[in-house]
Amino acid sequence: MERIEAIKAIIEQLDDELIICNLGFPSRELYSIKDSPRHFYMLGSMGMASSIGLGLALAQKRKVIVFEGDGSLLMNLGSLVTIYSQAPKNLILIILDNGCYATTGSQCTYALQVDLGELAKGIGFKKIFKFEEPHEINMTPILEEEGPIIVHVKVEPGNADVPLIDLNPEEIISRFMKIISSGK
């Protein structure tokens, strides 16, 4: 499945969760599918979506969904250990695994040799879901579980032809912080 198909299949099943989205094309694809003040689009900071999501999950009670690429996660594997150790009940980490650094030119990652779901299992995560087709993705039981939860989604390399996000970084953070502080 294409990454944009996976994002769409997941987003269609969400309601008012807070979403942190990996930099570059995944953020652009999410923005093109459904924009929301509850979405924090990362425009830089490769490898930090999982850490930002962890901090947000620890700071408030609402469900936090993090879309992280395999390349970004591999750049910050310590975040998996920290998420497991902190064990936020409201965090779902979705790994969009295309086996490459799609935003920077599709160079291969080591996710082709290392199964990130198995890596998470080795760290100690008990709730790991894996999907390879859009019709398989069912977020209902996942959203009902307490976290932390890993959702490993295998996607094809490549980027959808979507426009740039037409919000500046200040607008993205301002509207996101308003949502967080309002509790809505």
Side-chain angles (χ1 to χ4, degrees):
M1 88 181 98
E2 293 180 2
R3 183 181 53 227
I4 195 167
E5 292 176 293
I7 293 171
K8 186 174 190 292
I10 293 165
I11 287 298
E12 288 175 345
Q13 298 178 59
L14 301 180
D15 186 24
D16 62 352
E17 295 81 8
L18 299 172
I19 297 175
I20 306 296
C21 192
N22 188 28
L23 81 160
F25 276 96
S27 279
R28 288 172 56 183
E29 291 168 2
L30 172 60
Y31 182 76
S32 75
I33 294 166
K34 180 183 179 184
D35 179 37
S36 169
R38 288 181 175 83
H39 299 175
F40 181 74
Y41 307 107
M42 295 196 47
L43 304 180
S45 306
M46 188 171 186
M48 298 308 296
S50 55
S51 296
I52 292 169
L54 171 62
L56 183 59
L58 293 172
Q60 51 80 57
K61 295 188 184 303
R62 280 176 287 173
K63 264 302 176 207
V64 176
I65 311 289
V66 177
F67 286 107
E68 184 76 282
D70 57 297
S72 290
L73 186 61
L74 286 166
M75 291 185 82
N76 186 14
L77 279 177
S79 68
L80 277 182
V81 175
T82 307
I83 290 167
Y84 174 75
S85 298
Q86 292 292 313
K89 294 180 185 328
N90 57 338
L91 181 64
I92 299 172
L93 175 61
I94 299 173
I95 305 167
L96 299 168
D97 182 355
N98 60 9
C100 68
Y101 298 101
T103 297
T104 64
S106 293
Q107 304 89 349
C108 294
T109 69
Y110 289 118
L112 297 174
Q113 288 83 27
V114 176
D115 184 312
L116 295 173
E118 289 296 315
L119 181 65
K121 185 177 176 182
I123 290 169
F125 285 91
K126 304 288 187 252
K127 298 171 187 172
I128 302 169
F129 298 83
K130 187 169 186 175
F131 301 110
E132 296 190 14
E133 297 294 332
H135 68 273
E136 296 174 349
I137 299 172
N138 181 2
M139 293 299 293
T140 303
I142 296 168
L143 291 166
E144 292 171 354
E145 292 272 343
E146 285 191 347
I149 298 169
I150 301 290
V151 179
H152 187 194
V153 183
K154 294 293 284 183
V155 296
E156 298 168 10
N159 303 312
D161 184 18
V162 293
L164 294 172
I165 296 171
D166 63 356
L167 301 169
N168 67 47
E170 292 80 13
E171 290 173 298
I172 294 169
I173 192 68
S174 175
R175 68 187 201 155
F176 190 70
M177 293 302 293
K178 283 181 187 171
I179 287 293
I180 292 169
S181 62
S182 73
K184 293 181 183 178

